[in-house]
Amino acid sequence: MEIFGGFMVMMSIIGLFLAVVWLIMPFVVFAIKGKQDRSLEILEGIDKRLAELEKHLIQPHVENSPAAGGVRTETVSVPLPES
């Protein structure tokens, strides 16, 4: 009989722990999901800005300036090495 009583005490402690976890877990998950969505938005913005910067650096620039006597000059930008 004492074994059954000990088992019931152990199960009540485990049940209380699981109930607390069950009640708190949705709040934790939704908080993490909100932070993840915000991080994804920031990351997409950074990716767009980097793509524009990369396109600007790789694309050759053609200048036709009247001060240069109408001479066509072409400059090519080289992307920076990755570190």
Side-chain angles (χ1 to χ4, degrees), residues 5 18 31 36 39 42 50 72 77:
L18 289 176
Q36 181 194 19
S39 296
I42 292 172
L50 281 174
R72 183 174 172 191
S77 300

Side-chain angles (χ1 to χ4, degrees), residues 1 4 8-9 11-12 15 19 21 25 32 38-40 45 51 57 63 66 80-81:
M1 208 49 158
F4 184 70
M8 288 301 290
V9 169
M11 290 305 290
S12 65
V21 169
M25 194 57 66
I32 291 173
R38 175 84 174 118
S39 296
L40 183 62
L57 287 174
E63 296 178 3
L80 298 174

Side-chain angles (χ1 to χ4, degrees), residues 30-49:
F30 286 129
I32 291 173
K33 185 181 181 315
K35 288 180 183 179
Q36 181 194 19
D37 290 342
R38 175 84 174 118
S39 296
L40 183 62
E41 283 181 24
I42 292 172
L43 186 63
E44 286 175 348
I46 291 172
D47 189 36
K48 287 178 185 175
R49 289 170 48 193

Side-chain angles (χ1 to χ4, degrees), residues 1-2 22 25-28 32-33 37-38 44 48-49 51 53 55-56 62 64 67 73 75 78 83:
M1 208 49 158
E2 290 180 21
W22 186 266
M25 194 57 66
F27 297 106
V28 173
I32 291 173
K33 185 181 181 315
D37 290 342
R38 175 84 174 118
E44 286 175 348
K48 287 178 185 175
R49 289 170 48 193
L53 201 110
K55 186 169 54 171
H56 178 71
V62 178
N64 252 341
T73 59
T75 57
V78 178
S83 41

